[in-house]
Amino acid sequence: MRFVIVTGMSGSGKSSVMKILEDDGYFCVDNLPLSLLPTVIQLTEDSSEEIERVALGIDIRGGYRSLKEAAHVLDDLKSRGYTLEILFLEASTSVLVKSYKETRRMHPLAQGGRMDKAIEDERALLSELKKRADYIIDTTTLLIRELKQEIDRIFVEHEDFCNFYLTFVSFGFKYGIPSDADLVFDVRFLPNPFYVDELKPLTGDDKPVYDYVMSSPKAVEFRNKMKDMLDFLIPNYIAEGKTQLVIAIGCTGGKHRSVTLTNAMYEEYANTEYGCKKEHRDIEKDRLRYICRSQEK
């Protein structure tokens, strides 16, 4: 029988994960009081029902004291021979604060105080659980469908999982650098398709633009050097406990060169052991301006 403990920061997507696991055939119990955890596990194992996969949700709603003792309870269960997998969900403080403001809900530890202080208090309380986690997923930049893909990959398809997620983001410098970027690269030195009439209305997602940009030896050399650097950095980031890396690649408008190099770097890492996704933040902004100006003419 497979037991999965779903825990992590309030607002990081635990309820969504429980729904995904339920859809995947797991018997799910959310907001389980810690004192009942050993009993539920024992009853499930002894049940005459054919239950093969169980997901149990544990978080701050079970109580402050309960959460402090959670790591020790799980250690005790493992010492008694139970096989437990711990999935820990986290997200940046800014994203969690925004989530609570949008839903107009109060953080369980806030009690009328500052939201960011309550979130950091919870993060400290969960530190021991996080250390014991088998899987850590940072949902800061994940969409629900991307989260589902990760959950299915681990708990349905049984693929190997690395607690590290790469996000490649293309952007236009004239629209500002992405605020969550860990690394920023400027590719405005590459040949610009903007000045080629037949390529101007297209984007880096279109093959003619991709081929034009990547036909430049400088673009190929940049891609290779960037990969060499990331191959060096990623294991060191992982060793320091980092779980995600946002790599922003920018050109003037975020439509041609940055999109092309973002796609090229995504292709380098899409089939590696790391979680990987790409996002083109500004790809439509210049396209829409071009269409509007064309219509005016």
Side-chain angles (χ1 to χ4, degrees), residues 2-4 18 20-29 51-55 85 151 154-156 158:
R2 189 173 192 178
F3 287 104
V4 178
M18 294 297 283
I20 293 169
L21 289 173
E22 188 173 24
D23 290 342
D24 288 336
Y26 278 75
F27 175 74
C28 297
V29 181
I51 300 175
E52 297 181 355
R53 299 182 291 183
V54 179
E85 298 172 75
I151 296 301
I154 302 168
F155 299 108
V156 178
H158 310 296

Side-chain angles (χ1 to χ4, degrees), residues 3-281:
F3 287 104
V4 178
I5 305 297
V6 180
T7 187
M9 298 296 296
S10 300
S12 61
K14 295 189 303 299
S15 296
S16 296
V17 167
M18 294 297 283
K19 291 176 183 177
I20 293 169
L21 289 173
E22 188 173 24
D23 290 342
D24 288 336
Y26 278 75
F27 175 74
C28 297
V29 181
D30 195 13
N31 193 19
L32 181 70
L34 188 65
S35 59
L36 296 180
L37 180 59
T39 303
V40 171
I41 290 177
Q42 184 63 57
L43 288 174
T44 305
E45 281 205 330
D46 295 342
S47 174
S48 59
E49 300 288 335
E50 294 184 1
I51 300 175
E52 297 181 355
R53 299 182 291 183
V54 179
L56 305 173
I58 296 174
D59 55 46
I60 192 63
R61 292 172 295 173
Y64 178 95
R65 182 175 298 178
S66 176
L67 197 59
K68 288 187 68 174
E69 299 172 354
H72 302 296
V73 172
L74 293 175
D75 286 346
D76 179 63
L77 286 168
K78 286 186 176 182
S79 69
R80 289 159 54 185
Y82 293 106
T83 301
L84 304 175
E85 298 172 75
I86 302 175
L87 168 63
F88 189 97
L89 300 175
E90 64 175 17
S92 68
T93 299
S94 60
V95 166
L96 295 175
V97 169
K98 181 181 178 182
S99 175
Y100 273 103
K101 286 186 176 180
E102 288 177 348
T103 59
R104 299 186 179 182
R105 297 182 61 195
M106 181 63 70
H107 189 282
L109 295 181
Q111 297 179 348
R114 290 180 58 85
M115 187 72 71
D116 54 354
K117 173 64 166 55
I119 290 171
E120 293 309 316
D121 288 345
E122 181 185 22
R123 203 182 298 279
L125 281 171
L126 290 167
S127 60
E128 289 301 318
L129 269 179
K130 184 177 179 180
K131 290 177 184 177
R132 290 162 171 77
D134 299 285
Y135 317 100
I136 300 173
I137 297 180
D138 191 321
T139 61
T140 300
T141 61
L142 291 185
L143 302 174
I144 289 293
R145 60 177 173 80
E146 294 166 337
L147 178 59
K148 177 173 171 41
Q149 289 172 357
E150 287 299 299
I151 296 301
D152 287 349
R153 187 159 68 92
I154 302 168
F155 299 108
V156 178
E157 299 164 11
H158 310 296
E159 295 184 11
D160 291 336
F161 176 76
C162 176
N163 292 327
F164 195 80
Y165 210 95
L166 287 168
T167 301
F168 292 97
V169 183
S170 69
F171 72 97
F173 275 96
K174 66 182 179 181
Y175 300 115
I177 297 173
S179 60
D180 60 342
D182 296 299
L183 300 173
V184 178
F185 295 92
D186 184 348
V187 295
R188 288 177 290 187
F189 64 91
L190 296 176
N192 193 350
F194 180 84
Y195 297 109
V196 180
D197 289 342
E198 60 269 28
L199 299 180
K200 184 175 180 178
L202 304 179
T203 75
D205 276 342
D206 296 306
K207 190 175 186 300
V209 172
Y210 185 96
D211 291 343
Y212 176 86
V213 174
M214 296 309 296
S215 67
S216 166
K218 291 186 292 185
V220 175
E221 185 176 2
F222 175 83
R223 180 195 62 194
N224 294 339
K225 288 183 179 296
M226 186 175 175
K227 186 175 188 305
D228 285 344
M229 185 181 69
L230 290 177
D231 285 344
F232 166 77
L233 288 175
I234 291 171
N236 287 285
Y237 280 134
I238 292 174
E240 287 299 313
K242 195 173 180 65
T243 58
Q244 72 160 343
L245 188 66
V246 179
I247 301 125
I249 302 174
C251 61
T252 304
K255 176 182 175 184
H256 295 118
R257 294 166 290 180
S258 62
V259 173
T260 296
L261 266 299
T262 293
N263 288 340
M265 293 310 302
Y266 173 80
E267 290 169 5
E268 293 286 344
Y269 288 94
N271 295 314
T272 64
E273 68 270 30
Y274 311 118
C276 187
K277 75 167 186 171
K278 63 180 176 178
E279 175 187 338
H280 301 308
R281 193 193 70 176

